[in-house]
Amino acid sequence: MKLLACLILAVFSFSTSAQQVNTLVLKEIYHKPLNAKDKKPSKVQVDTKGGMLEVTTKYNNGCEEKFHFEFNFDRDMAVLKANETYGFNYFVRAMSKECQTNPWREAYMKPGSSDGGYSSLLGETNYGRWVYMISGGGPYNYARARPNSKDVTGVQNGEFKTKPYTKGTHTYFYFDINSSGHESGESCAYQFLFVYELTDEVPNASVSTSGCIAPDCSSMKGTIPVWNFQNNRGECWCPEGMVWDRMENRCR
């Protein structure tokens, strides 16, 4: 009986491992406002190298603020390999004058993944068999720190980690974006959802090598490489709160 049990276990283990695949292929980037009455962004762009969103929020004193949200991947995210780490940076900043309003309504963004996070857009997709094969993310990132808080601001770094699993299953990561106004229709809760299928059938030329190429910022001390979707080019930016010193050739 003991020998039989061992044989059954061995067959089961072989069968399970034989079904595992090590490639995650991007099936869709699904993105939209999370609430039907939310304000629509004035600009949205996204691809396998990153994304951005801009929205104007109006407060109860009539003041308006325009916010820019952005995330950029270290490499093309069309096809991922299991047991690898994929880095990215992300930030949110005010593009207009600062409104005197409730500071607890600060705009923010938050990256999340299938392992430890949940996307409210999953039910609107046509995919099934969800598994938790992407982990990681990053902290909440605010446009400005709220009073007496330890809020994270400026350009932040995060990472997603992948795992192998059964062929035909699906997994995901996402970016949540939020700008909260006082009046009806002035808030914007938005999500970018990246859906992957675990498969061994990789489409030809699925990984793009053109488009959002990060610039080399090694000669500009303290800067961070980002992709500017407004002018469609890579740029070297100083972290939020710092400016470029042309005389000393560095951020300060």
Side-chain angles (χ1 to χ4, degrees), residues 110-120 122 132 134-136 172 174 176:
K110 174 73 170 70
S113 62
S114 60
D115 186 7
Y118 178 75
S119 168
S120 54
L122 292 182
Y132 309 130
I134 296 180
S135 61
Y172 62 90
Y174 59 88
D176 275 334

Side-chain angles (χ1 to χ4, degrees), residues 19 127-131 165-171 198:
Q19 296 178 28
Y127 308 98
R129 301 180 67 193
W130 296 105
V131 293
Y165 202 67
T166 307
K167 180 179 179 179
T169 55
H170 297 90
T171 190
L198 287 98

Side-chain angles (χ1 to χ4, degrees), residues 34-247:
L34 297 180
N35 304 303
K37 295 182 179 180
D38 275 2
K39 188 170 186 177
K40 301 299 187 294
S42 58
K43 184 183 294 186
V44 179
Q45 294 180 355
V46 64
D47 59 22
T48 57
K49 292 292 270 184
M52 62 83 69
L53 179 150
E54 292 179 358
V55 65
T56 300
T57 299
K58 184 177 182 180
Y59 302 102
N60 58 2
N61 57 4
C63 187
E64 292 185 341
E65 280 187 306
K66 186 174 184 179
F67 294 99
H68 176 94
F69 303 81
E70 186 171 325
F71 57 92
N72 300 281
F73 300 114
D74 291 349
R75 44 182 160 163
D76 195 294
M77 300 292 280
V79 178
L80 311 182
K81 290 297 183 180
N83 300 316
E84 290 197 14
T85 299
Y86 297 83
F88 60 90
N89 64 59
Y90 63 108
F91 64 92
V92 50
R93 60 183 172 88
M95 302 176 63
S96 58
K97 65 179 181 179
E98 181 177 346
C99 291
Q100 298 299 318
T101 184
N102 186 340
W104 296 101
R105 291 182 177 271
E106 286 296 347
Y108 68 83
M109 63 186 303
K110 174 73 170 70
S113 62
S114 60
D115 186 7
Y118 178 75
S119 168
S120 54
L121 294 182
L122 292 182
E124 299 183 22
T125 67
N126 295 319
Y127 308 98
R129 301 180 67 193
W130 296 105
V131 293
Y132 309 130
M133 295 299 106
I134 296 180
S135 61
Y140 283 91
N141 194 1
Y142 290 84
R144 293 176 293 262
R146 296 169 297 178
N148 302 316
S149 72
K150 296 182 180 180
D151 290 342
V152 172
T153 62
V155 179
Q156 301 297 317
N157 296 314
E159 62 182 28
F160 295 122
K161 297 180 180 179
T162 57
K163 301 176 184 178
Y165 202 67
T166 307
K167 180 179 179 179
T169 55
H170 297 90
T171 190
Y172 62 90
F173 62 78
Y174 59 88
F175 289 86
D176 275 334
I177 285 172
N178 188 280
S179 177
S180 181
H182 290 93
E183 301 179 7
S184 176
E186 286 296 332
S187 294
C188 179
Y190 200 96
Q191 187 176 97
F192 294 92
L193 173 64
F194 289 69
V195 178
Y196 288 84
E197 181 178 345
L198 287 98
T199 179
D200 53 9
E201 300 171 1
V202 181
N204 293 328
S206 58
V207 179
S208 172
T209 57
S210 62
C212 311
I213 306 300
D216 181 6
C217 298
S218 58
S219 63
M220 303 179 71
K221 188 174 181 180
T223 60
I224 299 172
V226 299
W227 183 260
N228 189 336
F229 282 96
Q230 296 184 53
N231 53 29
N232 201 38
R233 69 183 185 188
E235 296 179 349
C236 300
W237 288 9
C238 288
E240 187 169 329
M242 304 182 72
V243 296
W244 180 250
D245 188 326
R246 292 181 179 274
M247 298 296 293

